[in-house]
Amino acid sequence: MPPARALHVIFCWHMHQPDYRNADGQYALPWTYLHACKDYADMIAHYEENPMARGVFNCVPILVEQIEDYTSQFESGHFRDPLLIALASPDLKSLNNEQRHHLMEQCFRLDPEHMLNPFPGYRRLHEIYTIMHSDPAELSDYLSIQFLADLLVWYHLAWTGETVRRGSPLIQKLMDKGHGFTLADRQDLLHFLGELIGGLIPRYRALAEAGRIEISTTPYYHPIGPLMLDFAAAREAVPDAPLPESPEYPGGAERARWHIKRAQTYHPQHFGIAARGMWPAEGGVSAAFVKMLGEAQVTWTASGEGVLTHSLLRSDDDSAPRGRAEYLYKAYRLENQGPALFFRDDALSDTIGFDYKTWFGHDAVIDFVHKLEAIWRQTEDQDHPVVSIILDGENAWEYYPYNGYYFLSELYRSLSNHPHIKMCTFSDYVQDHPEAIKSIPDLAAGSWVYGNFSTWIGDGAKNRAWDMLCTAKQDVDQHFAGLTPELQEEITEQLGRCEGSDWFWWFGDYNPADSVRDFDHLFRMNLRKLYNLMQISPPETLNEPISHGGGPTESGGTMRRTHMEG
């Protein structure tokens, strides 16, 4: 039992994938179900195996919706994802050259060091592919159907979590076999993956109902709420940030409320209870947006350390704390009202997200615990210090040996048994220590990346995308009233998809070209579908790419260090 003065440690794992379905409902990218088989399965398994561990999982509604959609596909046997269609195909000879080429390109999209090189059978397939890659247009003419069968099986084996492999005789048998996979092997694997994905939401719900984890939510399609309310919010942290030509996002406040309400309605349908907390997309907050969350009865929300720093610097109070340990490890409330505000320790969170992947798991745990013990000593004048560690729950583990298995399992054991550390949830802290929540007079607008919004607005391509979205919203407002109720409902949902943050994240030349291409295409496709639903011709500008990318980014652009180094 922890002593009276414990360091409260809250892990918040943010689970998020944008909607990867195209205008016809087909999945353009497979990342939702692949991360489900690997990361979402592993992450809950570590908590299942350690009854003393506590933490928060933030499940974005559009992610949950897609997991449920995949579950339905497995149950019906009618797939809308090219990879699963191929895996389930009784005759791979029926695939045309374009389909085969797509499969070979997709089935090597992973981190080779940890997800390909450890497996001799998979590595051999890649060596063959590399030799023949000098003429990719005709590649599929020279490779056998058995190559495709083995490639499909190995790609899915590589995308299974470490806890899944250790607990499944089928996965172990297939990995031992290594090559020559038959239709029966593929069917067995397909059935296994369907049961794995179908069981995920019930597993998370069971631990939440047992009080061992908290499940929070995000505005439905993951939009940047503060920018929907006011583009000028981007200039609070970057005063000279270029803004879109449009002065504002039309009707942004109404749309932000729609995403919040939609998430609050959807959440209990899958997890049994209402979400008490809401992680705003990308940790994006502003005073106006946090007040909106308060009006929606949200109990807690969170953002990045940079936002707190900027907020305190805006204060006129000379007595405001200046030492990091004096101000970071507390919960706040804006003007003593609305939701409790937690701010992530950017350095600690990024250490897990980016640095420990190259360490031995045991050494990383020792180092992390030492950092927490140092914080416990530095906050000896506080009765209830709290450390918020918030990061993606899926993208880091691809770059860890064994999907982070040894690091995470030992980390939870060490922390849950530590004499001066108490693992808890945000709601636990708010309920148990209301007197410890401090008032903050002002809140600077910003996100968990650099404490500003430069990742989503200010770049030329990002601003063009905002202008396209603003124009589309104006057209919706103009034509909406004259459409049928059924079309109005479809348009409202489709607009939500277009408002997601991910499109703007990927625009910019510093991101990898293949990812920029994929997301650029999906964004413009979503806008075209919106116009088609309105029964008007899409603008010609939607036929031209917005951004091309081309720059290497850490972890392929899926994650970003959230504080400036140096």
Side-chain angles (χ1 to χ4, degrees):
M1 182 175 180
R5 198 188 78 81
L7 180 68
H8 296 75
V9 174
I10 302 173
F11 286 95
C12 180
W13 302 108
H14 177 53
M15 308 297 210
H16 166 55
Q17 298 294 327
D19 194 341
Y20 292 119
R21 290 168 288 194
N22 65 22
D24 298 321
Q26 304 295 310
Y27 279 85
L29 295 168
W31 306 125
T32 294
Y33 92 84
L34 292 178
H35 280 294
C37 296
K38 185 170 76 73
D39 305 302
Y40 306 144
D42 264 5
M43 293 299 282
I44 195 62
H46 285 293
Y47 279 86
E48 290 171 333
E49 293 170 3
N50 190 332
M52 299 294 291
R54 298 290 182 271
V56 179
F57 286 94
N58 187 76
C59 296
V60 177
I62 188 54
L63 165 65
V64 178
E65 179 185 316
Q66 290 178 91
I67 291 175
E68 293 291 349
D69 184 27
Y70 273 108
T71 298
S72 298
Q73 291 179 60
F74 279 104
E75 291 173 347
S76 68
H78 299 295
F79 295 105
R80 286 176 283 106
D81 187 297
L83 273 178
L84 292 175
I85 291 171
L87 186 65
S89 174
D91 183 10
L92 291 174
K93 293 180 182 178
S94 64
L95 301 177
N96 60 39
N97 278 0
E98 182 180 351
Q99 290 172 313
R100 296 180 191 185
H101 180 69
H102 171 76
L103 288 176
M104 285 183 281
E105 182 185 58
Q106 177 62 54
C107 287
F108 293 114
R109 292 184 70 174
L110 40 61
D111 176 59
E113 181 179 353
H114 299 105
M115 296 178 68
L116 186 148
N117 291 340
F119 310 120
Y122 194 13
R123 191 169 64 244
R124 183 166 54 250
L125 298 177
H126 186 255
E127 290 168 353
I128 295 171
Y129 175 80
T130 301
I131 290 171
M132 302 188 68
H133 198 257
S134 59
D135 192 359
E138 298 184 13
L139 182 64
S140 57
D141 290 336
Y142 294 93
L143 296 178
S144 69
I145 296 303
Q146 189 61 60
F147 180 93
L148 283 179
D150 288 3
L151 183 60
L152 281 164
V153 171
W154 264 116
Y155 191 58
H156 286 89
L157 292 178
W159 276 94
T160 53
E162 186 66 20
T163 63
V164 177
R165 293 173 190 163
R166 291 168 183 247
S168 169
L170 172 67
I171 299 299
Q172 294 170 13
K173 183 187 79 170
L174 292 174
M175 297 186 87
D176 289 340
K177 185 175 182 178
H179 62 90
F181 297 116
T182 64
L183 174 60
D185 290 331
R186 289 190 282 120
Q187 290 174 333
D188 288 343
L189 178 59
L190 195 73
H191 178 73
F192 175 83
L193 297 179
E195 290 192 336
L196 177 65
I197 292 172
L200 280 178
I201 301 303
R203 290 169 67 186
Y204 278 85
R205 177 170 177 166
L207 287 199
E209 289 175 341
R212 292 168 56 185
I213 63 172
E214 176 179 6
I215 303 177
S216 57
T217 190
T218 292
Y220 200 91
Y221 284 102
H222 207 261
I224 302 289
L227 294 180
M228 295 182 76
L229 300 184
D230 185 3
F231 286 157
R235 287 182 167 165
E236 289 192 25
V238 185
D240 59 349
L243 297 181
E245 292 182 6
S246 303
E248 62 182 0
Y249 184 61
E254 178 186 1
R255 292 300 300 158
R257 291 190 185 94
W258 180 87
H259 284 275
I260 293 169
K261 183 177 180 180
R262 180 91 161 79
Q264 290 178 318
T265 301
Y266 185 82
H267 188 90
Q269 296 172 8
H270 295 276
F271 298 111
I273 56 175
R276 298 184 63 189
M278 184 170 284
W279 166 255
E282 314 295 2
V285 296
S286 64
F289 188 67
V290 166
K291 289 176 181 177
M292 183 177 285
L293 294 179
E295 293 167 358
Q297 305 303 308
V298 172
T299 302
W300 63 262
T301 191
S303 188
E305 179 179 340
V307 171
L308 176 59
T309 303
H310 293 159
S311 299
L312 293 174
L313 289 174
R314 287 157 62 107
S315 173
D316 293 330
D317 184 1
D318 292 336
S319 65
R322 291 293 180 261
R324 189 168 179 265
E326 294 180 63
Y327 63 79
L328 181 57
Y329 305 115
K330 299 177 181 179
Y332 292 85
R333 210 182 295 275
L334 180 59
E335 298 175 339
N336 272 325
Q337 56 187 343
L341 300 167
F342 293 86
F343 297 94
R344 76 195 289 266
D345 186 313
D346 284 351
L348 277 180
S349 301
D350 281 356
T351 298
I352 294 176
F354 296 96
D355 298 332
Y356 286 151
K357 63 188 179 184
T358 61
W359 292 41
F360 286 111
H362 176 72
D363 293 344
V365 171
I366 297 258
D367 182 74
F368 195 79
V369 172
H370 282 172
K371 292 179 188 299
L372 290 175
E373 290 171 339
I375 293 170
W376 179 76
R377 290 190 293 270
Q378 292 163 6
T379 56
E380 61 183 358
D381 60 330
Q382 300 177 36
D383 292 332
H384 307 292
V386 56
V387 180
S388 300
I389 300 160
I390 308 172
L391 67 155
D392 283 0
E394 62 267 282
N395 290 313
W397 314 121
E398 183 175 348
Y399 304 92
Y400 272 69
Y402 304 100
N403 212 43
Y405 177 86
Y406 291 104
F407 170 70
L408 286 171
S409 56
E410 184 172 344
L411 178 67
Y412 291 151
R413 283 196 305 271
S414 297
L415 296 183
S416 60
N417 290 288
H418 196 285
H420 303 305
I421 291 173
K422 180 178 181 180
M423 298 182 74
C424 67
T425 70
F426 290 124
S427 286
D428 288 340
Y429 190 89
V430 172
Q431 178 177 310
D432 296 343
H433 306 294
E435 77 288 352
I437 301 175
K438 308 299 182 183
S439 178
I440 189 169
D442 196 5
L443 184 66
S447 75
W448 68 342
V449 183
Y450 316 140
N452 61 44
F453 292 115
S454 62
T455 301
W456 301 275
I457 199 168
D459 170 271
K462 299 177 193 294
N463 288 348
R464 283 195 300 276
W466 275 110
D467 283 326
M468 289 178 177
L469 180 58
C470 289
T471 298
K473 179 57 165 61
Q474 289 171 340
D475 288 331
V476 168
D477 293 342
Q478 182 178 349
H479 293 86
F480 193 79
L483 300 171
T484 66
E486 292 77 14
L487 275 176
Q488 288 179 348
E489 184 175 349
E490 285 190 67
I491 288 169
T492 300
E493 289 293 332
Q494 184 61 22
L495 181 61
R497 292 185 180 91
C498 297
E499 292 166 339
S501 73
D502 295 85
W503 321 122
F504 306 96
W505 169 288
W506 286 104
F507 295 134
D509 292 338
Y510 51 84
N511 276 319
D514 57 348
S515 294
V516 173
R517 175 200 64 204
D518 292 340
F519 282 86
D520 187 315
H521 173 76
L522 274 172
F523 177 68
R524 289 182 291 111
M525 178 276 298
N526 274 309
L527 284 177
R528 279 195 295 269
K529 181 176 179 180
L530 184 63
Y531 279 99
N532 291 333
L533 289 170
M534 290 187 284
Q535 302 175 354
I536 58 178
S537 298
E540 288 296 323
T541 53
L542 294 181
N543 296 325
E544 297 294 328
I546 299 167
S547 181
H548 296 279
T553 306
E554 194 165 16
S555 298
T558 55
M559 299 191 300
R560 196 150 296 149
R561 287 187 182 270
T562 55
H563 66 290
M564 299 293 190
E565 296 179 286

